[in-house]
Amino acid sequence: VKGLVQLAKENDMTAMAITDHGYMGGVEEFHQVLSGAGINPIVGVEAYVAPGDRRDFDSNKPFNRGGFHLILLSENEQGYRNLCKMMSAANKDGFHYKPRIDKELLRQYHEGLICSSACIGSEISQYYLQGDEKRAEQALHEYLDIFGPDNFFIELMDHGMEEERKCNKFLVELAKKNDLRLIATNDVHYAERADAEIQDVVMCISMKKTMDDPNSMQMRTDQMYMTSPEELAATFTDLPDALATKMEIAETLYRIQIGRYR
């Protein structure tokens, strides 16, 4: 976290969000370090969403191993508490390869949360990549029904992967069709571009794989680092509104004081 603070200051960033995968254990340190450095800490999570009931552990069902990705950001105290409740439930009765929530939990605990469609691991993108545009649109409308159009954003990423660029065209069209706002982001799995190989080594060690194993969870890109505002703007030069939306979210989210809530 301290290294990210230095990079944020070098790039004049006033806010930063934490969205660890299905996990909130890093939130307190993140909040304390960023608050002490005068940077607005935004608390969130990249949730794993089961395609059906989170208590269904049938590995033969499509996408049931680990589920889909979804970004959830807390905008106030209630949102923070709701994130904690969902992540507790995900680990207690939804764990199947990953700690999974489901749409039942999202409907129950959506208050105080802002949601974005996430990376190509999202439900919308995965169905689209499988060639099922109808199911992708259906998934979108399920999330809109839960969060409403003001609290749901279509997220775009471009780390140089063909699947992302293919999805982005569809997602932009989907946003226009449904009058939704876009948000341009970049995954941050390591601080600087030069750290990409180290990240792959760490992943292989954690999965007990070797670097030449085709089944190892390597990133297939060296662009999942904390890009500067200028780099992100250059990537999405044709979508300035998507960049502006990100700043709007950062500026309007409530500054949560985690220490008061424990």
Side-chain angles (χ1 to χ4, degrees):
V1 175
K2 292 179 181 178
L4 293 177
V5 167
Q6 181 178 343
L7 288 172
K9 288 192 170 185
E10 288 174 2
N11 289 286
D12 296 321
M13 295 178 181
T14 58
M16 187 182 296
I18 184 170
T19 54
D20 286 338
H21 287 201
Y23 177 73
M24 292 183 66
V27 163
E28 185 169 1
E29 179 190 0
F30 177 84
H31 185 276
Q32 289 178 348
V33 172
L34 263 68
S35 295
I39 299 171
N40 183 17
I42 299 170
V43 175
V45 68
E46 184 163 358
Y48 297 105
V49 183
D53 193 311
R54 68 186 183 277
R55 291 151 293 207
D56 181 353
F57 304 140
D58 185 350
S59 297
N60 293 317
K61 291 184 177 179
F63 305 113
N64 214 29
R65 290 191 181 194
F68 303 108
H69 293 210
L70 189 72
I71 295 293
L72 300 169
L73 302 175
S74 54
E75 57 180 346
N76 51 36
E77 178 180 349
Q78 184 179 9
Y80 168 70
R81 291 183 179 277
N82 282 339
L83 278 185
C84 291
K85 290 174 181 177
M86 282 195 283
M87 290 304 102
S88 293
N91 281 277
K92 181 180 178 182
D93 56 21
F95 200 104
H96 184 56
Y97 293 84
K98 305 289 184 181
R100 305 172 309 157
I101 61 173
D102 58 16
K103 286 168 188 164
E104 176 189 27
L105 285 174
L106 287 171
R107 289 187 179 93
Q108 185 176 358
Y109 296 117
H110 71 277
E111 293 293 337
L113 296 176
I114 284 177
C115 177
S116 73
S117 59
C119 59
I120 56 173
S122 71
E123 184 170 4
I124 297 170
S125 292
Q126 282 297 300
Y127 280 126
Y128 174 70
L129 289 171
Q130 292 286 328
D132 195 344
E133 289 189 25
K134 183 178 180 180
R135 187 64 188 86
E137 285 203 53
Q138 182 182 335
L140 168 65
H141 287 287
E142 287 174 349
Y143 289 119
L144 288 176
D145 183 60
I146 294 170
F147 293 99
D150 291 335
N151 285 332
F152 184 86
F153 299 85
I154 297 288
E155 189 166 355
L156 305 175
M157 293 185 180
D158 187 347
H159 304 98
M161 295 188 287
E162 183 58 34
E163 301 100 315
E164 289 176 322
R165 290 169 181 168
K166 182 179 178 181
C167 281
N168 284 349
K169 293 179 181 179
F170 173 69
L171 292 171
V172 170
E173 292 173 1
L174 205 57
K176 289 179 180 178
K177 180 179 178 180
N178 293 277
D179 195 25
L180 297 173
R181 286 178 289 175
L182 297 165
I183 176 171
T185 67
N186 198 83
D187 254 344
V188 181
H189 285 262
Y190 37 88
E192 299 178 351
R193 194 169 193 163
D195 298 330
E197 185 176 3
I198 298 172
Q199 167 74 6
D200 282 342
V201 171
V202 171
M203 291 294 293
C204 285
I205 292 172
S206 69
M207 300 295 293
K208 297 182 179 179
K209 304 282 186 180
T210 59
M211 292 286 284
D212 58 359
D213 189 332
N215 295 316
S216 65
M217 290 184 62
Q218 297 180 53
M219 295 295 185
R220 297 183 296 124
T221 177
D222 63 353
Q223 297 180 35
M224 291 186 177
Y225 62 99
M226 198 168 91
T227 55
S228 68
E230 292 76 19
E231 287 176 299
L232 199 62
T235 300
F236 294 98
T237 183
D238 57 334
L239 294 168
D241 289 348
L243 296 165
T245 301
K246 185 174 70 168
M247 294 304 299
E248 177 187 338
I249 292 174
E251 290 168 1
T252 57
L253 284 183
Y254 184 78
R255 187 169 185 171
I256 300 170
Q257 301 299 321
I258 297 297
R260 296 196 334 232
Y261 302 153
R262 288 184 305 180

